[in-house]
Amino acid sequence: MKDNFSTQSDDYAKFRPVYSKELINYLISLTENQETCWDCGTGNGQLAIALSESFRQVKATDISQNQLDNAIKRPNIEYSKQPAEQTNFPDQYFDLITVAQAAHWFDHQHFNNEVKRTLKPNGIIALFGYGLVKVEGVIGSIIKDFYWTITKPYWDSERDHIEAQYETIPFPYDEIQVSQNFDIISDMTVDQLTGYISTWSAVQHFIKANGYSPIDQLKIELAKVWNNGDRQVTFPVFIRVGRVS
């Protein structure tokens, strides 16, 4: 698994969008018990925090120690630096396993083996994430151009799984069809939006390759049309949910 997020872990915690309460409640409604869950690829722990309100114990793992150092602590959350594909968790231990915006980085065969080993019978596995942020009007067009023209050559190949909404990721479970919409909708300032975009791994790759940040020019372009105040932005959420029989 690649670690593309240690260098900007502070900004990651500050600017990344927060999943809706409706999504969390939906996942909880599928579980038979709320004893233990594993948030794999937890990053700054935002999902682990939400899950800790319902589960007795949350195990949250990541391969980035910097991300874990920036995670918010709770008494019933245990953070640990472990790869998704090999952990020290007991067999048939979890009622729920979640992976938010991280599954595309995994070795899928070995991760699925670990899921089957650690998930309880009838336990739930949920992979989800979000695609390119959407904003109405010319602002949205500028962001699309930045994504497809400026940063597209610098994305890792794993980004293709995001474009395919995880349909290209092996999912050897009894899949549950999800009909609800869990898009993240929020109001953001221009600084918040560009702060979020600066956390893209492709932006970091661009900086390493060229010696400067493309965000500076993006800010100039957005300032021409943004005026003042907030804009409504949408992060289109996709999800795959399955049960281990």
Side-chain angles (χ1 to χ4, degrees):
M1 182 178 174
K2 300 176 182 177
D3 179 5
N4 281 332
F5 304 100
S6 286
T7 56
Q8 69 270 25
S9 55
D10 289 347
D11 286 344
Y12 194 94
K14 187 186 302 182
F15 294 118
R16 284 280 167 149
V18 177
Y19 293 98
S20 68
K21 188 66 175 178
E22 289 76 16
L23 173 57
I24 307 302
N25 289 340
Y26 171 73
L27 296 177
I28 292 170
S29 73
L30 298 176
T31 60
E32 296 180 348
N33 299 286
Q34 291 83 50
E35 287 295 314
T36 55
C37 67
W38 172 21
D39 184 35
C40 183
T42 193
N44 60 23
Q46 61 157 272
L47 184 61
I49 293 296
L51 293 168
S52 72
E53 297 178 5
S54 298
F55 283 83
R56 182 182 61 82
Q57 187 175 47
V58 177
K59 305 287 189 178
T61 64
D62 205 280
I63 62 168
S64 169
Q65 189 61 50
N66 284 346
Q67 288 277 26
L68 296 174
D69 290 343
N70 280 280
I72 299 174
K73 307 302 188 287
R74 290 288 186 275
N76 62 332
I77 301 177
E78 181 180 314
Y79 292 102
S80 61
K81 183 179 178 181
Q82 298 192 69
E85 300 83 359
Q86 185 176 12
T87 68
N88 60 12
F89 300 131
D91 294 350
Q92 298 187 356
Y93 187 62
F94 296 111
D95 300 291
L96 171 68
I97 296 175
T98 57
V99 187
Q101 199 74 354
H104 49 292
W105 301 114
F106 296 171
D107 178 318
H108 301 122
Q109 178 179 347
H110 289 92
F111 172 66
N112 285 327
N113 289 340
E114 193 69 351
V115 169
K116 292 177 180 178
R117 182 184 71 80
T118 60
L119 202 58
K120 294 177 182 178
N122 294 318
I124 295 295
I125 169 70
L127 313 180
F128 48 96
Y130 46 84
L132 179 61
V133 60
K134 296 180 179 179
V135 187
E136 292 296 326
V138 66
I139 294 172
S141 298
I142 292 172
I143 293 170
K144 285 181 181 178
D145 182 69
F146 181 80
Y147 177 84
W148 290 107
T149 304
I150 305 301
T151 66
K152 183 61 176 176
Y154 297 91
W155 285 103
D156 295 278
S157 60
E158 290 88 347
R159 178 71 187 185
D160 293 343
H161 291 304
I162 295 285
E163 299 292 349
Q165 300 186 336
Y166 281 0
E167 291 297 327
T168 48
I169 289 181
F171 199 71
Y173 311 103
D174 296 333
E175 188 153 8
I176 299 169
Q177 297 304 312
V178 181
S179 58
Q180 294 177 246
N181 185 321
F182 298 111
D183 288 353
I184 304 167
I185 301 175
S186 61
D187 294 327
M188 301 181 78
T189 65
V190 65
D191 288 337
Q192 288 171 327
L193 181 57
T194 54
Y196 156 71
I197 293 173
S198 72
T199 67
W200 291 358
S201 58
V203 170
Q204 303 306 311
H205 294 332
F206 183 104
I207 294 171
K208 289 179 181 179
N210 298 282
Y212 68 93
S213 175
I215 296 295
D216 296 335
Q217 183 61 37
L218 176 64
K219 288 181 177 179
I220 293 172
E221 295 301 317
L222 288 176
K224 296 175 182 178
V225 297
W226 193 280
N227 298 320
N228 297 312
D230 298 347
R231 295 291 184 276
Q232 185 180 89
V233 302
T234 300
F235 296 86
V237 173
F238 51 85
I239 181 170
R240 298 191 74 181
V241 181
R243 189 183 301 275
V244 173
S245 25

